[in-house]
Amino acid sequence: MYNNYNLEVSKIFKGAEKLMMELNHSYVGTEHLLLSMLKNNEEIKDLLNRYCLTYDDFLDELQLLVKEETSKKSTCIYTPLLKRVIKNAFDISKCNTIKPIDLLVSLLEEGEGIAIRIMVGIGIDIDKLYDEIKIKSKKNNPKLEIYNIGKDLTEYTTDDLLIGREKEINLIIETLLRKNKNNPLLIGDAGVGKSAIVEELARRIKDGNVPNKLKNKKIVSIEMSSLVAGTKYRGEFEEKLNKVIKEVENNPEIILFIDEIHTLSNAGGAEGAINASDILKPYLARGKVKLIGATTINEYNKFIAKDKALSRRFEIIKVNEPNIEETIEILSKIRPSFEHHYNIKISEDNIKEIVSLTNKYILDRFNPDKSLDFLDSICAMKEVESSKEKDISLLKNKLANIIKKKENMVKKNNFEEALNLRKIEIEINEKISKEENTPNKITNTDIKEVLLRKVNIPSIKNDWNSLNNYLKNQIIGQKEAIDEIINTLKFKEDDMPVSILLTGSTGVGKTKTVKEIATYLKLPLIRLDLSEYNEPISINRLIGSSAGYIGYDDENIFDKVRMHPNAIILLDELEKAHPSVINLFLQILDEGFVTNAKGEKIDFKNTYIFMTSNACIDIKIGFLKNKANYQNSFSKEFLARITQTINYHNITIDNIKEYLSKKGIKDYSIIKDFDYENQGFRGLDKYLKKKKMKVR
């Protein structure tokens, strides 16, 4: 729960829970909260000391009023009154975080509870204290428009430290300290931690771990939607934005932070009006307004880079994706908060396995965002499972019945039976306590189960021997070829796609084999008939058109690979493709990735690439009239990068008879005039339809 509060408030709550344990009380109430504030917050301590209320005096009165429990408590239960005090404190603060003084004001407004009883008993004038705090708060907190529409990040800091971003943070600090061009702009892919870097800077400002010129600064986050909201008439938006900028200019301690800063280019840009970026440019140029921005690379290129007057006012700071070691360090630091929230045990090995698998199989997102989401999903799944397994509610219902029976026995003066029921009651209470306080553990099975929900991973979920048997049952006459395919798939490298070239005559089962593999492994099949890609311009259908050309923003074929990074790709009729298309796949087979027209990296390292060709593998077994050799159809460098080349045999009369037998046809005389050597099984199906044969 402490992640929802700043450092001061978190310290107070932790102190209240600790005091509850030390005093052997069964709950955390307003009295523990006030006692913790007297101990851990100097402002409240000084204030209440002036009203003759000290920590020792309050503690003495509390021990006289509330007696110790006989048994130690292992859980901290907040009273409904305390929960209400916390909730009202947020209403008082009117923002996403609270201060210690907000808690005290909320407690005084409630006007009830043990804390108030003790204060009244000591002789404190509650109304006078309340009025003093409210007057002081008004003087110290002038109502600025920017605080109504924005969030003060220096007040919303948490205990979580940022790992591995020292370089970026130092660059931001250096930029903010500059006389001119002191506006840092963070650029990086979505999920790499741009906002987290700014929040870490806010935390350091709060703790005083920054140069003197940045101490006592406030980083206030605003959104364009907050500025636009409520501006119905022309000129209202400009007026509102100018007011905010003037406030920032007149209050040098404020540093603006705008996430998704590319929205500046469109905000307020209605007909006859100027947009937000045009209003900000003069202020940013003079250096009187400090602004931190964050956006993605694509959005920067699309909106900001084109506006030279706007882009030159920022200092670009690139934020790259953290490496595996840094991501592990980040998750290790955040691990305690997940363990507390879900009451679960997460080991260091769990963290390493999660980061390793997400880095390998989830390719369309970036760390640490994808690893954190993956960890969150696993913990949520375990909580669902544990609630089903433990079913604490049944135990509580049973406990309620036992207590009711015990009370009836006491009324009937059957004390012996009541004593037996009391023993059962104690046992059930112990079971409930054990179930509630025993954390779950994450196993490798849990990790793989969640991973399989997100992506299909054949190496984890399938037995290759079973696939071998399945294919041999579906594909007739190609047992040697199937054995080679399975052996190639087994030993796929982790960081490279596996590529298999299937050569052989038409209708021998090349395409069918690939389709059956996709069906068995339950992987998406992306099929490209390369006879449709026989022109140089065909490459645009794969990676997209260049900027400025028609179809630039349209979806292309390789976008399917981005959506399904663990897929089977079938390149049918490979020899019919244009050389430029072949060269594109040459890079894929060599590097494992390709970059589309928009500059996006498309990763093929988890794909299985199958290619089929009718060019013959062996001139002696020729099935085409010209007996062309496949080595003459493709370049040597392309063939060198293919993992394995497998030849499919020409079908025999025995293969044809086996095929007919599976179709339920026993009269083999119907194929006496069928050219099976050149037409294969595909031609046989058409032949049977022509003969109007009914097949199973």
Side-chain angles (χ1 to χ4, degrees):
M1 67 171 282
Y2 306 118
N3 294 330
N4 300 325
Y5 311 108
N6 60 37
L7 294 174
E8 290 179 302
V9 176
S10 296
K11 189 177 180 181
I12 289 171
F13 283 135
K14 289 177 180 178
E17 293 176 4
K18 186 179 179 182
L19 286 166
M20 172 264 200
M21 296 288 187
E22 291 174 353
L23 295 170
N24 287 343
H25 291 169
S26 58
Y27 57 86
V28 182
T30 56
E31 61 274 24
H32 304 101
L33 179 70
L34 186 58
L35 195 60
S36 180
M37 286 194 283
L38 282 166
K39 185 178 182 179
N40 298 303
N41 188 268
E42 290 297 325
E43 181 186 5
I44 293 177
K45 180 183 176 181
D46 294 339
L47 175 64
L48 295 179
N49 284 171
R50 288 194 286 107
Y51 283 80
C52 300
L53 179 61
T54 64
Y55 175 85
D56 293 334
D57 292 340
F58 191 93
L59 180 60
D60 292 340
E61 293 293 329
L62 177 60
Q63 288 176 323
L64 290 172
L65 191 62
V66 182
K67 303 298 182 183
E68 293 186 10
E69 298 280 337
T70 54
S71 59
K72 291 276 186 180
K73 300 294 179 181
S74 57
T75 57
C76 298
I77 301 172
Y78 284 43
T79 63
L81 177 60
L82 180 55
K83 291 178 180 178
R84 196 161 64 245
V85 166
I86 297 171
K87 182 179 180 298
N88 292 340
F90 280 99
D91 297 333
I92 292 167
S93 74
K94 295 180 180 179
C95 60
N96 293 323
T97 187
I98 54 176
K99 294 176 287 187
I101 198 70
D102 296 324
L103 287 170
L104 181 57
V105 172
S106 179
L107 192 150
L108 295 173
E109 286 183 351
E110 285 294 328
E112 59 180 302
I114 295 176
I116 297 294
R117 286 173 60 187
I118 294 175
M119 291 171 74
V120 173
I122 293 174
I124 295 175
D125 190 337
I126 301 296
D127 294 332
K128 185 180 177 181
L129 175 60
Y130 178 79
D131 292 338
E132 182 181 341
I133 295 173
K134 295 296 286 185
I135 293 169
K136 186 179 178 182
S137 123
K138 286 181 181 179
K139 289 180 179 179
N140 295 336
N141 299 299
K143 288 186 177 181
L144 297 176
E145 179 68 20
I146 192 170
Y147 289 111
N148 293 330
I149 63 173
K151 180 174 72 175
D152 188 352
L153 297 182
T154 50
E155 292 292 335
Y156 193 63
T157 54
T158 68
D159 293 327
D160 294 332
L161 298 175
L162 190 69
I163 307 298
R165 295 299 189 185
E166 290 298 324
K167 178 184 175 182
E168 289 83 357
I169 292 173
N170 289 333
L171 286 172
I172 295 174
I173 292 173
E174 290 173 11
T175 305
L176 291 172
L177 293 174
R178 289 170 57 171
K179 184 177 182 296
N180 299 311
K181 204 173 182 180
N182 49 14
N183 307 297
L185 177 58
L186 305 182
I187 296 178
D189 294 306
V192 297
K194 300 184 295 295
S195 301
I197 291 172
V198 180
E199 290 171 3
E200 169 65 10
L201 176 61
R203 191 192 66 80
R204 294 188 182 188
I205 292 173
K206 178 72 174 179
D207 296 343
N209 298 328
V210 290
N212 290 330
K213 287 186 177 180
L214 290 183
K215 288 181 178 179
N216 301 318
K217 297 287 188 181
K218 294 182 179 293
I219 298 178
V220 180
S221 174
I222 63 171
E223 297 177 357
M224 286 298 105
S225 58
S226 301
L227 286 167
V228 176
T231 55
K232 296 183 287 185
Y233 304 107
R234 183 177 296 174
E236 283 189 352
F237 170 76
E238 292 91 330
E239 184 181 353
K240 192 174 181 180
L241 180 58
N242 273 305
K243 184 179 179 181
V244 170
I245 295 171
K246 287 291 183 184
E247 289 180 351
V248 177
E249 191 177 19
N250 297 328
N251 295 272
E253 77 277 3
I254 297 176
I255 301 172
L256 283 179
F257 170 56
I258 302 178
D259 202 1
E260 309 294 341
I261 197 171
H262 59 271
T263 55
L264 284 174
S265 300
N266 296 322
E271 185 179 352
I274 57 177
N275 59 42
S277 63
D278 293 328
I279 297 173
L280 275 170
K281 286 172 190 175
Y283 295 96
L284 297 176
R286 293 196 294 267
K288 292 185 178 181
V289 173
K290 287 185 172 65
L291 187 150
I292 304 173
T295 187
T296 63
I297 298 171
N298 292 337
E299 301 295 350
Y300 173 80
N301 293 330
K302 189 175 180 180
F303 295 102
I304 299 176
K306 294 178 181 179
D307 190 347
K308 299 298 182 184
L310 180 62
S311 62
R312 72 179 185 86
R313 286 167 167 81
F314 290 101
E315 182 68 22
I316 304 300
I317 298 173
K318 292 184 178 179
V319 182
N320 297 317
E321 183 182 15
N323 56 36
I324 292 178
E325 290 75 20
E326 290 172 340
T327 306
I328 291 172
E329 202 173 350
I330 292 169
L331 263 67
S332 298
K333 179 63 183 177
I334 299 175
R335 179 175 62 183
S337 64
F338 278 86
E339 290 179 330
H340 182 268
H341 181 80
Y342 289 104
N343 191 27
I344 198 169
K345 181 66 178 176
I346 307 169
S347 68
E348 192 67 26
D349 290 337
N350 293 151
I351 297 292
K352 292 178 180 178
E353 183 73 5
I354 287 169
V355 175
S356 174
L357 290 174
T358 53
N359 189 65
K360 182 178 178 181
Y361 292 107
I362 303 176
L363 307 176
D364 56 338
R365 295 177 62 190
F366 300 92
N367 276 321
D369 183 61
K370 64 180 180 182
S371 293
L372 285 170
D373 281 356
F374 192 66
L375 176 60
D376 209 359
S377 298
I378 295 169
C379 293
M381 183 199 72
K382 289 296 292 183
E383 183 160 323
V384 172
E385 289 181 352
S386 66
S387 63
K388 291 179 181 179
E389 293 172 359
K390 296 176 180 179
D391 207 0
I392 298 173
S393 62
L394 290 175
L395 288 173
K396 289 183 177 179
N397 291 335
K398 187 178 179 180
L399 178 64
N401 292 330
I402 293 294
I403 293 172
K404 191 176 180 179
K405 287 180 181 178
K406 183 189 70 175
E407 291 172 351
N408 290 332
M409 290 298 106
V410 171
K411 289 178 181 178
K412 295 177 181 178
N413 295 326
N414 191 348
F415 298 109
E416 185 178 351
E417 184 63 26
L419 183 61
N420 293 331
L421 291 169
R422 174 58 182 167
K423 291 178 181 178
I424 298 172
E425 180 189 348
I426 294 171
E427 290 177 0
I428 296 173
N429 271 318
E430 289 177 351
K431 286 182 181 179
I432 292 173
S433 179
K434 185 179 179 181
E435 292 288 346
E436 289 179 337
N437 296 310
T438 303
N440 290 319
K441 290 183 179 179
I442 293 177
T443 64
N444 287 336
T445 304
D446 299 325
I447 296 172
K448 290 176 180 178
E449 184 179 343
V450 175
L451 186 63
L452 288 172
R453 293 179 187 178
K454 295 179 178 292
V455 294
N456 294 309
I457 311 170
S459 60
I460 292 178
K461 64 183 269 190
N462 294 285
D463 181 9
W464 295 111
N465 291 327
S466 299
L467 175 59
N468 193 341
N469 296 330
Y470 173 78
L471 291 177
K472 286 178 179 178
N473 188 51
Q474 298 296 321
I475 310 299
I476 297 173
Q478 307 296 341
K479 293 183 179 180
E480 296 84 358
I482 290 170
D483 286 335
E484 287 190 66
I485 291 172
I486 297 299
N487 289 331
T488 307
L489 295 177
K490 277 184 185 178
F491 301 105
K492 177 185 179 301
E493 297 180 28
D494 289 339
D495 57 347
M496 289 297 292
V498 65
S499 53
I500 301 175
L501 173 60
L502 305 178
T503 65
S505 177
T506 299
V508 295
K510 304 185 299 294
T511 302
K512 183 175 174 59
T513 300
V514 181
K515 289 180 178 180
E516 293 294 344
I517 291 173
T519 301
Y520 184 87
L521 298 180
K522 296 179 181 179
L523 290 176
L525 175 64
I526 302 173
R527 182 179 179 272
L528 302 178
D529 190 344
L530 294 189
S531 61
E532 301 174 1
Y533 296 81
N534 55 7
E535 297 179 355
I537 200 172
S538 301
I539 197 170
N540 293 344
R541 295 172 59 188
L542 299 174
I543 61 174
S545 302
S546 302
Y549 287 84
I550 294 174
Y552 173 69
D553 291 324
D554 295 347
E555 184 181 8
N556 51 70
I557 300 296
F558 281 178
D559 282 338
K560 294 181 180 179
V561 181
R562 291 186 67 211
M563 296 298 296
H564 305 283
N566 302 278
I568 290 179
I569 301 172
L570 172 59
L571 308 178
D572 227 350
E573 309 289 349
L574 184 67
E575 74 280 357
K576 297 177 182 177
H578 192 272
S580 62
V581 177
I582 297 293
N583 291 334
L584 180 65
F585 283 100
L586 180 70
Q587 179 188 342
I588 294 171
L589 298 180
D590 192 32
E591 302 291 340
F593 71 91
V594 71
T595 305
N596 65 14
K598 298 177 183 178
E600 299 165 333
K601 181 181 176 182
I602 301 172
D603 211 319
F604 286 78
K605 69 180 182 181
N606 290 331
T607 60
Y608 297 84
I609 302 175
F610 288 87
M611 296 163 280
T612 67
S613 175
N614 290 335
C616 80
I617 187 83
D618 191 339
I619 201 166
K620 295 179 181 178
I621 317 176
F623 48 85
L624 299 176
K625 292 182 179 179
N626 58 5
K627 298 186 185 294
N629 192 307
Y630 85 99
Q631 294 179 348
N632 298 326
S633 302
F634 311 108
S635 65
K636 291 182 179 180
E637 58 179 349
F638 179 76
L639 294 173
R641 287 165 172 79
I642 295 175
T643 307
Q644 187 66 273
T645 302
I646 300 171
N647 182 43
Y648 272 51
H649 301 301
N650 283 359
I651 60 175
T652 64
I653 187 65
D654 292 334
N655 299 146
I656 292 292
K657 290 179 179 179
E658 183 181 351
Y659 184 81
L660 291 175
S661 179
K662 284 189 174 184
K663 297 289 187 180
I665 300 174
K666 297 180 180 181
D667 185 10
Y668 302 141
S669 62
I670 62 171
I671 58 167
K672 60 182 180 181
D673 56 346
F674 174 68
D675 185 10
Y676 61 85
E677 290 186 345
N678 288 323
Q679 297 188 45
F681 294 116
R682 189 179 298 167
L684 179 59
D685 285 335
K686 294 179 180 179
Y687 181 82
L688 294 175
K689 286 182 181 179
K690 189 177 178 181
K691 293 284 188 178
K692 296 182 179 179
M693 295 291 297
K694 292 183 179 180
V695 299
R696 293 188 300 196

